Amino acid sequence: MSIRIGIMGYGNIGRAVECAAKQSDDLEVVAVFTRRDPSTVSILTPGAKVYKADDAEKMADLIDVMIMCGGSATDLPVQTPALAKTFCIVDSFDTHARIPEHFANVDSAAKAAGTLAAISVGWDPGLFSIERMYSSAILPLGKDYTFWGRGVSQGHSDAIRRVEGVLDARQYTVPVPEAVDAVRSGSNPDLTTRQKHTRECFVVAKDGADKARIEKEIKEMPNYFADYDTTVTFITMEELKRDHNGIPHGGRVIRTGATGWDNENKAIIEYSLKLDSNPEFTSSVLVAYARAVYRLNKEGKTGCVTVLDVPPAYLSPKSGEELRKTLL
Amino acid sequence: MSIRIGIMGYGNIGRAVECAAKQSDDLEVVAVFTRRDPSTVSILTPGAKVYKADDAEKMADLIDVMIMCGGSATDLPVQTPALAKTFCIVDSFDTHARIPEHFANVDSAAKAAGTLAAISVGWDPGLFSIERMYSSAILPLGKDYTFWGRGVSQGHSDAIRRVEGVLDARQYTVPVPEAVDAVRSGSNPDLTTRQKHTRECFVVAKDGADKARIEKEIKEMPNYFADYDTTVTFITMEELKRDHNGIPHGGRVIRTGATGWDNENKAIIEYSLKLDSNPEFTSSVLVAYARAVYRLNKEGKTGCVTVLDVPPAYLSPKSGEELRKTLL
């Protein structure tokens, strides 16, 4: 029998969960929950049904794992602890600074209910965290570097859209090639924010808007752009739709460390992702962890976990015996 | 109190375990076991003692985890199951085809004794297996590629040394750059053995030896060289010692997969290692898993495991709370 998946929230990530689940025979999306009127929401999976978000709690018998596809700012801090009272859960909470608080809230709810919840699943936090974990444990005398991009940052694109006179925008985060090369050389450079990434903004301005003012406002925006070398390119709506329609992303985690009695030898570990679709890949990770959460909970594990707590083999539908034979 | 490590077998790997353990405050090498006369073996760690291999079984109270540093051909298949009756164990058994058999032998010995043994720890099998595991679970519609090198293959170097007229030799396994690029492009190429790697041999011949015959014998050697484009370069013993003294290695695992409802988008995951010292890095992995084995056994886990069964967090001396706060 398949593991029955519920999707809470139906945006880019929710839709991509359907795509990811379709690739595995042992997973089945059975329900999508939305705050919109369900009759207006059209989903991809034949046989799955759309329900009101508020009705989710009544459906404990229908769903094995609920995948939370809301936002980290306001949705997940409330929804994940609430629904952990009823369901095993995977969420993609990605506000790094608030993870300890979110973990504690979800852990107490899930422990009381006998459910298991994996939080902060995705690629960063998520797969990148796993790589930082392994490589720092294996090379304790070393240094971690994380580069993001080239890829679209939704948050930065939104920030540009809030500038007066902007119709639409797309922001790419771009790692500085010289910085990546310096890290790979093993020289352990100290890099400032500005030295690591640049930001490329493609902006559609309203007719007659003051482009010089828009560019200045973007480049001086604190937190988002002021600390970076930022370029602003004005394009037409047609160009935006033609050339910037996708949501690609990627990045790399590099650890450079030393081995040997006198730390005389270098070792470099590099992990990189190159993704045509950021939400689709993120959802592929969420879905693999839904399998793991289901299996761990069946074995009696409850409470909150992160990717650091889940043995790799639990992500695979294959048996331990098959994995050892074919993949180890 | 530190985790007390024993080292069984004192060659390149055993010595490198001492180097790796030195980097962590919570680990301490207390004993080295050798088949040689202990009085003739000089080790690196102040305070550690050298014993005869046969005396190991008497020392259950002295050692928390025994790291097996013998060879996979004849040592580990016998030693690991035998010593798992007394100790928690980490070994680096790397004969892929015989892993299921080794696992079964070690599992029954360890379960009966209440010990825990992690087998096939290192980077391949080991870290590369972990990467194949994660990436195949996350991108089920995809293809794995593993490239090794540029690095010294001990087995191939030994094979050359057995050719008549050869004094010494060093063999480098080298990935073909065009093959790596083709894989990275996401085109999912089918690659033959010859297309993936070349083999570079640096050979010191005896005075008066027939170099043409040596070169021919190397290039035609079945299993080792016949399926590869192999180059043979004759050098002097001085050149060998000056230019080929290290044991560098490395490699990469790449998975190319598809995402999207109609598999219309590509995703590429790449993991690579670049190591000045292969045995030192391997031992850094062994030592991190010694920590994990110790902790898992304290929690009651017994039997045999591989890297696929161990949650990442167990490799680190840091608490779950600290890891979530600083690294996730």
Side-chain angles (χ1 to χ4, degrees):
Chain A
M1 211 183 73
S2 300
I3 301 169
R4 299 164 302 170
I5 304 286
I7 294 174
M8 175 57 65
Y10 197 67
N12 279 338
I13 296 282
R15 181 169 285 250
V17 167
E18 292 190 273
C19 301
K22 187 191 177 199
Q23 295 192 352
S24 289
D25 292 338
D26 64 330
L27 301 170
E28 185 189 0
V29 172
V30 295
V32 171
F33 298 89
T34 176
R35 278 180 295 222
R36 289 174 275 167
D37 174 355
S39 69
T40 66
V41 174
S42 144
I43 64 171
L44 298 167
T45 311
K49 295 206 174 105
V50 185
Y51 301 96
K52 294 187 101 146
D54 290 342
D55 290 341
E57 274 145 305
K58 302 174 204 157
M59 304 205 181
D61 294 343
L62 193 76
I63 289 160
D64 295 313
V65 183
M66 186 73 88
I67 300 185
M68 309 298 297
C69 300
S72 294
T74 55
D75 296 336
L76 299 180
V78 178
Q79 287 179 341
T80 302
L83 287 170
K85 292 174 187 162
T86 310
F87 300 104
C88 283
I89 283 198
V90 177
D91 90 8
S92 61
F93 186 77
D94 66 359
T95 312
H96 288 259
R98 294 185 62 194
I99 287 174
E101 178 192 342
H102 188 54
F103 184 94
N105 292 338
V106 176
D107 193 49
S108 61
K111 278 219 178 91
T115 61
L116 180 66
I119 62 159
S120 300
V121 175
W123 58 272
D124 196 3
L127 301 183
F128 276 17
S129 320
I130 289 171
E131 296 301 329
R132 287 188 286 261
M133 168 80 261
Y134 278 115
S135 59
S136 63
I138 289 162
L139 297 173
L141 301 185
K143 202 166 166 180
D144 276 333
Y145 297 86
T146 303
F147 292 95
W148 296 275
R150 189 178 192 257
V152 173
S153 164
Q154 217 62 56
H156 288 78
S157 301
D158 289 343
I160 298 172
R161 284 187 204 104
R162 289 191 294 265
V163 172
E164 205 194 305
V166 171
L167 267 181
D168 203 350
R170 208 70 86 247
Q171 194 271 179
Y172 295 88
T173 306
V174 185
V176 175
E178 292 76 14
V180 177
D181 288 345
V183 169
R184 279 190 191 135
S185 77
S187 68
N188 285 350
D190 288 313
L191 297 168
T192 63
T193 297
R194 190 177 299 274
Q195 285 171 320
K196 285 182 72 186
H197 297 91
T198 54
R199 298 200 175 276
E200 296 177 5
C201 312
F202 295 88
V203 180
V204 182
K206 286 180 186 158
D207 277 348
D210 180 350
K211 290 182 178 172
R213 197 240 332 134
I214 291 174
E215 181 168 343
K216 189 169 183 304
E217 270 191 43
I218 294 171
K219 288 186 171 175
E220 293 177 354
M221 200 183 294
N223 301 322
Y224 286 92
F225 295 103
D227 296 335
Y228 298 85
D229 288 339
T230 301
T231 57
V232 175
T233 306
F234 289 95
I235 59 175
T236 65
M237 191 58 92
E238 290 67 41
E239 288 169 326
L240 187 88
K241 288 191 169 146
R242 187 190 65 204
D243 303 333
H244 304 280
N245 196 33
I247 317 178
H249 218 314
R252 60 194 71 240
V253 175
I254 306 173
R255 188 169 180 93
T256 54
T259 65
W261 189 254
D262 294 313
N263 311 318
E264 63 272 29
N265 287 313
K266 282 179 192 162
I268 300 175
I269 306 175
E270 178 166 347
Y271 179 82
S272 71
L273 297 174
K274 196 176 163 216
L275 314 170
D276 283 352
S277 168
N278 185 1
E280 285 170 9
F281 185 78
T282 299
S283 295
S284 297
V285 182
L286 292 170
V287 157
Y289 276 93
R291 178 184 292 123
V293 160
Y294 175 80
R295 294 168 63 190
L296 285 165
N297 184 247
K298 284 276 171 226
E299 290 178 8
K301 186 145 182 95
T302 65
C304 188
V305 293
T306 75
V307 295
L308 305 180
D309 305 308
V310 176
Y314 280 79
L315 274 67
S316 173
K318 295 178 184 165
S319 70
E321 197 177 346
E322 199 177 347
L323 291 173
R324 285 191 292 276
K325 199 171 165 182
T326 59
L327 181 147
L328 194 69
Chain B
M1 212 183 73
S2 300
I3 301 169
R4 298 164 302 169
I5 304 287
I7 295 173
M8 175 58 65
Y10 196 68
N12 280 336
I13 296 282
R15 181 169 285 251
V17 166
E18 293 190 272
C19 300
K22 187 190 176 199
Q23 295 191 352
S24 290
D25 291 338
D26 64 330
L27 302 169
E28 184 189 1
V29 172
V30 295
V32 170
F33 298 90
T34 176
R35 280 182 293 224
R36 289 173 274 167
D37 174 355
S39 68
T40 66
V41 174
S42 143
I43 64 172
L44 298 167
T45 311
K49 295 206 175 105
V50 185
Y51 301 96
K52 293 188 101 146
D54 290 341
D55 290 340
E57 274 146 305
K58 301 176 205 158
M59 302 203 183
D61 295 342
L62 191 76
I63 290 162
D64 295 311
V65 183
M66 186 73 88
I67 301 184
M68 308 298 296
C69 301
S72 294
T74 54
D75 296 335
L76 298 180
V78 177
Q79 287 179 341
T80 301
L83 286 171
K85 292 175 187 161
T86 310
F87 300 103
C88 283
I89 282 198
V90 177
D91 89 7
S92 61
F93 186 77
D94 66 359
T95 311
H96 288 258
R98 295 185 61 195
I99 287 174
E101 179 192 342
H102 189 54
F103 184 94
N105 292 339
V106 175
D107 193 48
S108 60
K111 277 219 178 90
T115 61
L116 180 66
I119 62 159
S120 300
V121 175
W123 59 272
D124 195 2
L127 301 182
F128 276 18
S129 320
I130 290 170
E131 296 301 328
R132 288 189 284 261
M133 168 79 262
Y134 279 115
S135 59
S136 64
I138 289 161
L139 297 173
L141 302 184
K143 202 166 167 180
D144 276 331
Y145 297 87
T146 303
F147 292 96
W148 296 274
R150 188 175 193 261
V152 172
S153 164
Q154 215 62 57
H156 288 77
S157 301
D158 289 344
I160 299 172
R161 283 187 205 104
R162 289 192 292 265
V163 172
E164 204 194 305
V166 172
L167 267 182
D168 203 350
R170 206 71 86 248
Q171 194 271 180
Y172 294 88
T173 306
V174 184
V176 176
E178 292 76 14
V180 176
D181 288 345
V183 168
R184 280 192 190 134
S185 77
S187 68
N188 285 351
D190 288 314
L191 297 168
T192 62
T193 297
R194 191 177 297 276
Q195 286 171 320
K196 286 182 70 187
H197 296 92
T198 54
R199 298 200 175 277
E200 296 177 4
C201 312
F202 294 88
V203 180
V204 182
K206 286 180 186 158
D207 277 347
D210 179 350
K211 290 181 178 173
R213 197 248 322 140
I214 290 174
E215 180 168 343
K216 187 169 184 303
E217 270 190 45
I218 293 172
K219 288 186 172 176
E220 293 177 355
M221 201 184 293
N223 302 320
Y224 286 92
F225 295 102
D227 296 335
Y228 298 85
D229 289 338
T230 301
T231 56
V232 175
T233 307
F234 289 94
I235 59 176
T236 65
M237 190 58 90
E238 290 66 41
E239 286 169 327
L240 188 88
K241 289 192 169 146
R242 187 190 65 204
D243 303 333
H244 305 279
N245 196 33
I247 317 177
H249 219 314
R252 57 194 71 240
V253 175
I254 305 175
R255 187 167 180 94
T256 55
T259 65
W261 189 253
D262 295 312
N263 311 319
E264 65 272 28
N265 288 313
K266 282 179 193 163
I268 301 174
I269 306 176
E270 178 166 346
Y271 178 82
S272 70
L273 296 174
K274 195 174 164 219
L275 314 170
D276 282 353
S277 168
N278 184 2
E280 285 171 8
F281 185 78
T282 298
S283 295
S284 296
V285 181
L286 292 170
V287 157
Y289 276 92
R291 177 185 292 122
V293 160
Y294 176 80
R295 294 169 63 190
L296 285 165
N297 184 247
K298 284 277 171 226
E299 290 178 8
K301 186 144 182 96
T302 64
C304 188
V305 293
T306 75
V307 294
L308 306 180
D309 306 307
V310 176
Y314 280 79
L315 274 67
S316 173
K318 295 178 183 166
S319 70
E321 199 178 345
E322 197 176 348
L323 291 172
R324 286 191 292 277
K325 198 171 165 182
T326 59
L327 181 147
L328 194 69

